[in-house]
Amino acid sequence: MFSLRHFLSSFLLLALLTTACSEEEATPKSPVTPALEGHLTMGNPSGAVADVASPTNYLLSKPQYVLSYHRDKGIPNWVSWHLASSWLGSAARQDDFRADNTLPTGWYQVTAASYTSSGFDRGHNCPSADRTATEADNSATFLMINMLPQAPRNNQQTWASLEEYCRTLVGQGNELYIVMGQYGTGGIGSSGAKITLDNGRVTVPQRIWKVIVVLPEGANDASRVSANTRIIAVDTPNENNLNTAWGSYRTTVDSIEGATGYDLLSAVPASVQSVIEGRADVGPTQ
Ligand code: MN
Ligand code: MN
C-alpha cells in the first residue's frame, strides 16, 4: 500500500527546499533541516542542497529516500531513508536498473550498463527489499543514483546480512533511520583493483559505511533519541576478501564523522550525540 504520509512528507520537503533556495540565494550551502518526519529526520549529514551550484553535494529527494549526489563521482555521497513496517509489503523485485533522467541538464546520467564487466556489483544504498509496499516504491530503488560499485562479496554477503538484520529489527516492533555512504577512492572487486568505471565517470569507493538508529515504533522520533538508544555504525572495506560477518566491522559514529567530515544525527541534541556517537554497538547481529 502506498503511504500517503510518506508522499506528503516528501512533497512538503520539496516545497520547503524550493522556498529556502529562492529566499536564500546568497547562502546556497546552508544546511536544510526539515521539521517534518521523513528520511532526513535525523539530519542532513553534509548540508546538501538542491542547487546546481552544488554539484558535488547535491540534494536529491525521492519519495522513497533522500540522498546527496556527487556529479563528478557518479555516485551518492550518502543515502538516507526511514524504514518502518509501512514500507514493507509484497511487491516483487522490479530489477529495472536505469538512469535517473531527473538530474540537472548536462549532468552525466550513469546507466544500467555503466558497471558491466567491471567486477563490481550495482550495490543498492536503499535496498530493494526495504521498499516493497508498492511496485513503484521498489522500482525507485533501481535508479542508478542509488547505486555504488560494491565488491560482490561485500554486497551479497556482508551487506546483505546487515540489511536483513535491519528488517528483522522492524519485525520486532522498531522503526529505523538509516544512512549509508562511502568515502575514499579505489576498491578490489572480483576482477581486481579499480579506481573508476565507465571511462572515469563512476568512482569506486574505498570504504562503505552505514549508521542505523533503532527506535521502538512511535512519534517525534528525533526528540526521543536518548543516551540509551541503540545506534549501529558499520564501516567496511570495499574489497572482495572482506569478512562476511558485518558485526566485525562495527565502529563509532564519531569515527565515520572523522573520516567523512559529516555531522551525522545532527537533529539529535548535542548532549545526546556526544554519548551515542562515541559508543560502538555490541548488540545482536541476527
Ligand atoms: Mn545490495
Ligand atoms: Mn553528529
Side-chain angles (χ1 to χ4, degrees), residues 93 121-128 147 150 154-157 159-160 163 180:
R93 183 181 167 98
D121 285 357
R122 295 174 294 193
H124 281 72
N125 282 259
C126 180
S128 165
M147 302 299 158
Q150 191 169 13
N154 189 321
N155 177 41
Q156 296 167 27
Q157 298 188 55
W159 218 249
E163 292 171 349
M180 172 173 170

Side-chain angles (χ1 to χ4, degrees), residues 25-103:
E25 281 170 344
T27 54
K29 298 227 171 193
S30 62
V32 175
T33 304
L36 298 161
E37 300 272 288
H39 302 307
L40 292 184
T41 290
M42 296 299 156
N44 177 332
S46 60
V49 287
D51 185 330
V52 293
S54 178
T56 61
N57 185 24
Y58 181 76
L59 189 73
L60 203 46
S61 296
K62 303 291 183 187
Q64 296 82 12
Y65 50 83
V66 173
L67 61 83
S68 163
Y69 192 69
H70 195 301
R71 178 196 62 187
D72 302 334
K73 291 185 174 180
I75 54 176
N77 297 304
W78 50 262
V79 180
S80 187
W81 66 101
H82 183 215
L83 179 58
S85 57
S86 58
W87 285 103
L88 302 177
S90 56
R93 183 181 167 98
Q94 299 297 301
D95 261 328
D96 50 349
F97 292 93
R98 64 197 185 283
D100 184 356
N101 61 17
T102 72
L103 287 171

Side-chain angles (χ1 to χ4, degrees), residues 10-23 30-34 40 44 48-50 59-61 66:
S10 302
F11 180 80
L12 289 170
L13 173 60
L14 269 175
L16 283 174
L17 291 169
T18 306
T19 304
C21 286
S22 58
E23 290 178 356
S30 62
V32 175
T33 304
L40 292 184
N44 177 332
V49 287
L59 189 73
L60 203 46
S61 296
V66 173

Side-chain angles (χ1 to χ4, degrees), residues 170-183:
V170 171
Q172 293 170 347
N174 298 298
E175 59 180 308
L176 312 184
Y177 288 90
I178 305 173
V179 187
M180 172 173 170
Q182 51 76 27
Y183 64 90

Side-chain angles (χ1 to χ4, degrees), residues 257 263-264 273 277:
E257 289 184 336
D263 182 5
L264 292 150
Q273 282 185 66
E277 293 186 348

